[in-house]
Amino acid sequence: MAAQTSAKSLLHLSSSSCPCFGTSKQSNLIKLRKTQVGFEPRGLTQHTKPIKVESLSLSHKSGIRVVVVEERKKKWEVKCTAEGIERGVLMGRRGRDEAVAAAKVLVPERFKVVALMACVMCLCNADRVVMSVAVVPLATKFGWTNSFLGIVQSSFLWGYIFSSVVGGALIDKYGGKRVLATGVALWSLATLLTPWAANHSTTSLLAIRAFFGLAEGVALPAMGIILSRWFPNHERASAVGISMAGFHLGNVAGLLLTPIMLSSIGLTGPFILFASLGLLWLSTWTQVTNDPQESQFISKSELRLIQDGKTDSSVSDGKFPPIRLLLSKLPTWAIILANITNNWGYFVLLSWMPVYFKTVFNVNLKQAAWFSAVPWGTMALSGYVAGATSDYLIKAGINLTLVRKIMQSIGFIGPGVSLLCLNFVNTPVHASVFITIALSLSSFSQAGFLLNIQDIAPQYAGLLHGISNSFGTLAAIVSTIGTGFFVQWLGSFQAFLTVTAGLYFMSTIFWNLFATGERVF
C-alpha cells in the first residue's frame, strides 16, 4: 500500500526546463503506472533534442526516488529521453550519471585503439631513425668507414631477427597488449642508453642497438593481431593503413627533429626525447584490451558491428603451432618472399638515405634530413589511401585474392621502376621525387602481404608474421651491410639500387602465381 501511495506522488517539472514532459508553462502532474521493473511515466514520448536543465536533485519518499527539476542560475545541457528520465527515477544518481556519460560517448572504442597504435608505431620508427641521422656525426667523430657504418646500421637488426618469431608466438598465446607494452618499455630504455653506449665503446653501442632491435621485434606482429581483433574485415585495411601511417610519420619526426636537437642540445637530446615519449605512451595503454569483448568501454552496437564483420576466428587453440605445416605451403612462401623484398628496399632507403644525399649530391646533414623526410611523409598518406582503396574494393564484392594481388603488384612494380629512374637524375630535388614515388607506392604492400598473413592463417598470424619478418630482417641486414660495401668498393649507389629493382620485379611474379586470399591453415 505504501508503494502504491508513493506511485501517486507528484513529479514537479518545468516544461521550459525539460520538454520531455509536455509544453504547458504550468507544472504538470504526471501519473506513474506500475511495471515489472518499477514505475514509469505514463503517456510520455521520447525526445532527443538538447535541452537545458536547471538542476537535478533527488528526494526520497516512501522508498521511491523522485526527480525534481528546480530553477537555478547556473545551467548546463544534457540529452533528455523518456527512457533516460525513467532510469534516473528508478536508479537515482547512478542512473543519471550513466545516461549523461552515454550521451558523451561519441568516439568508437576501436578508433581509440587504432589512434594509440598509430602513436606507438610512430615512436617505434622514430627511435630507429634517430640513429640513422646520429650515425653521421658519430662516424666523423670515431673515423668509421662506410663498410663499418653499414655494420653499425645493421646492428639493430641482429636482435630484431630473433624476437620476431618468439614475440609472434607469445602474442598468439598471451595477446598483443602485454607483449607490446613490454617491448615499448625495453626499447625506450635502450634508446635512452644509446648515447652512453656510443661514448663508452663500439662494442657497447652494437650490443645496445641489438637489444633495441630485440625489443622492437614484437611491434608489427602485435599491431596485426590487435587490429584484426578490434576491426571487422571490411575496415581492417584502413586500420592498418592508419597505424602504418604513424609508422612512416615516425621517419619524418626522427629525420627532422634529430638534426635540430643534435645541433642545439647535443648527442643525448633526441634519444632522451623519444625515450620519454615511449614511457608516456605506456601510461595511456593500460585501458586497452586484447579483445573488444573484454573492454569495459565498448558499446554493444560497436561490439556487434565488429563481430558481424568477421568470417573466421583469430583465437589460437593453444596447441603448439605447426611450423612445418606453415612452411609447406606456397602461399606462405609468397608472403615470406614479399617480406624479404619489402624489407630489402625499405631498409636500404631508411638507413642510407641521408648518407645517399650527402655522398651523391653533397648536401649538408639538415638538408639531407629534409630531402629524406618528404618521401616518408607522403608514404604515410599513400598507406592510408591503399588501405581505404582495398576496403572499398572488398565492400564492392571484388574477390579478396584479386584485391591482395592488385595491391601487392602496385607496391612492388612502382618502387622498382622508380629506383631504376634514380640512375638518370642529376639533382637532389629530382632524386627526392623518385624516392618519394618509390616509397609512396611501396606502401600498397600494407594492403597486400601484410594483411594476407591474417587471411591465410588467422589462428597463427603472430607466428607467421614473426617467421616472415625474420626472413625479411635477414634480407635487411644483407642489404644494409651490402650497400656499405657497394658504396666503398664501387663508389656508387646506383648499382645496388638496380639490384633492388630487379628483386621487386621477381617478387611480383612469384606473388601473383602463388598468393591467395583464402584461409589455408
Side-chain angles (χ1 to χ4, degrees):
M1 293 298 294
Q4 292 177 354
T5 303
S6 301
K8 297 177 182 179
S9 299
L10 299 182
L11 183 61
H12 297 284
L13 299 149
S14 170
S15 62
S16 61
S17 299
C18 184
C20 296
F21 297 97
T23 57
S24 173
K25 294 182 179 180
Q26 303 290 334
S27 298
N28 293 325
L29 181 62
I30 304 299
K31 295 184 178 180
L32 303 178
R33 62 184 176 88
K34 193 171 183 179
T35 67
Q36 293 178 347
V37 294
F39 297 93
E40 67 176 11
R42 178 180 296 174
L44 299 182
T45 57
Q46 181 171 322
H47 295 262
T48 57
K49 294 182 179 179
I51 60 170
K52 291 186 177 179
V53 177
E54 307 298 344
S55 71
L56 293 177
S57 64
L58 297 176
S59 64
H60 297 271
K61 188 174 182 180
S62 302
I64 302 297
R65 294 180 184 264
V66 181
V67 180
V68 181
V69 181
E70 300 174 336
E71 293 186 359
R72 292 287 186 272
K73 291 182 180 180
K74 295 182 179 180
K75 302 180 179 181
W76 63 88
E77 284 193 355
V78 298
K79 280 189 174 182
C80 178
T81 65
E83 180 184 359
I85 293 297
E86 177 186 357
R87 184 168 62 175
V89 171
L90 296 176
M91 299 180 63
R93 181 180 299 276
R94 183 173 132 194
R96 186 190 67 200
D97 291 345
E98 288 178 357
V100 174
K104 293 180 179 178
V105 176
L106 299 177
V107 180
E109 196 66 21
R110 67 189 188 281
F111 291 178
K112 300 176 186 178
V113 172
V114 77
L116 285 173
M117 189 61 67
C119 289
V120 77
M121 297 309 293
C122 178
L123 287 172
C124 175
N125 222 20
D127 287 347
R128 301 182 192 183
V129 175
V130 169
M131 192 60 186
S132 296
V133 179
V135 77
V136 177
L138 284 173
T140 302
K141 180 179 179 179
F142 296 111
W144 295 339
T145 63
N146 279 330
S147 57
F148 185 74
L149 195 60
I151 295 175
V152 174
Q153 294 277 53
S154 69
S155 59
F156 154 79
L157 300 169
W158 302 349
Y160 191 81
I161 192 172
F162 292 108
S163 64
S164 294
V165 176
V166 176
L170 290 174
I171 291 166
D172 283 335
K173 185 174 181 60
Y174 298 107
K177 176 187 176 180
R178 190 185 308 174
V179 177
L180 179 59
T182 303
V184 173
L186 293 178
W187 87 54
S188 297
L189 176 63
T191 300
L192 188 64
L193 294 176
T194 298
W196 169 85
N199 289 322
H200 185 268
S201 67
T202 302
T203 303
S204 299
L205 176 61
L206 295 178
I208 203 69
R209 293 300 292 173
F211 177 74
F212 172 74
L214 189 71
E216 281 213 346
V218 303
L220 286 175
M223 179 201 73
I225 292 294
I226 292 174
L227 294 183
S228 70
R229 294 181 179 177
W230 270 92
F231 283 83
N233 291 345
H234 62 273
E235 292 182 355
R236 194 151 49 93
S238 296
V240 171
I242 292 171
S243 299
M244 293 303 293
F247 187 78
H248 302 312
L249 287 176
N251 285 323
V252 178
L255 288 168
L256 295 183
L257 292 178
T258 302
I260 296 173
M261 300 195 73
L262 285 174
S263 60
S264 59
I265 299 177
L267 184 64
T268 60
F271 293 97
I272 293 175
L273 171 65
F274 289 111
S276 301
L277 290 175
L279 298 177
L280 177 63
W281 178 89
L282 279 173
S283 66
T284 67
W285 185 242
T286 55
Q287 294 184 342
V288 174
T289 58
N290 288 317
D291 193 281
Q293 295 183 26
E294 302 169 0
S295 176
Q296 299 177 354
F297 306 100
I298 192 170
S299 65
K300 291 182 179 179
S301 59
E302 184 181 6
L303 181 59
R304 193 182 311 115
L305 182 146
I306 294 172
Q307 292 174 334
D308 292 346
K310 294 182 180 296
T311 57
D312 49 47
S313 171
S314 59
V315 180
S316 175
D317 55 12
K319 297 180 180 179
F320 187 77
I323 297 178
R324 180 176 296 181
L325 178 62
L326 287 174
L327 297 178
S328 67
K329 305 294 184 180
L330 284 172
T332 297
W333 287 101
I335 290 174
I336 290 174
L337 183 57
N339 205 325
I340 288 173
T341 304
N342 184 72
N343 278 17
W344 180 288
Y346 183 87
F347 277 93
V348 165
L349 296 177
L350 175 67
S351 301
W352 288 97
M353 203 181 298
V355 180
Y356 168 77
F357 281 106
K358 188 176 186 302
T359 303
V360 176
F361 301 107
N362 197 31
V363 298
N364 62 44
L365 185 58
K366 288 186 178 180
Q367 288 176 322
W370 275 101
F371 280 118
S372 303
V374 171
W376 301 114
T378 58
M379 190 177 186
L381 177 62
S382 63
Y384 174 74
V385 172
T389 302
S390 177
D391 284 340
Y392 173 80
L393 293 174
I394 292 172
K395 289 178 184 178
I398 306 299
N399 180 266
L400 183 60
T401 299
L402 180 59
V403 172
R404 298 289 185 248
K405 288 183 177 181
I406 291 172
M407 295 294 110
Q408 192 59 62
S409 296
I410 296 173
F412 278 174
I413 295 176
V417 173
S418 299
L419 291 182
L420 289 178
C421 292
L422 282 176
N423 292 322
F424 307 100
V425 300
N426 298 313
T427 67
V429 174
H430 291 154
S432 182
V433 168
F434 282 112
I435 292 176
T436 298
I437 294 173
L439 287 174
S440 296
L441 294 179
S442 71
S443 64
F444 277 72
S445 294
Q446 297 166 192
F449 83 89
L450 194 58
L451 285 173
N452 192 232
I453 294 172
Q454 189 72 31
D455 295 333
I456 71 169
Q459 287 189 320
Y460 308 111
L463 177 64
L464 181 56
H465 196 144
I467 292 173
S468 66
N469 221 25
S470 293
F471 280 96
T473 303
L474 181 61
I477 293 173
V478 173
S479 66
T480 304
I481 296 176
T483 303
F485 282 102
F486 261 74
V487 173
Q488 182 172 329
W489 293 344
L490 303 179
S492 171
F493 278 93
Q494 279 73 14
F496 201 75
L497 294 178
T498 301
V499 171
T500 303
L503 182 60
Y504 274 124
F505 298 143
M506 182 188 70
S507 295
T508 303
I509 297 173
F510 192 87
W511 176 265
N512 281 281
L513 288 175
F514 301 113
T516 179
E518 302 297 326
R519 181 169 180 170
V520 178
F521 305 101

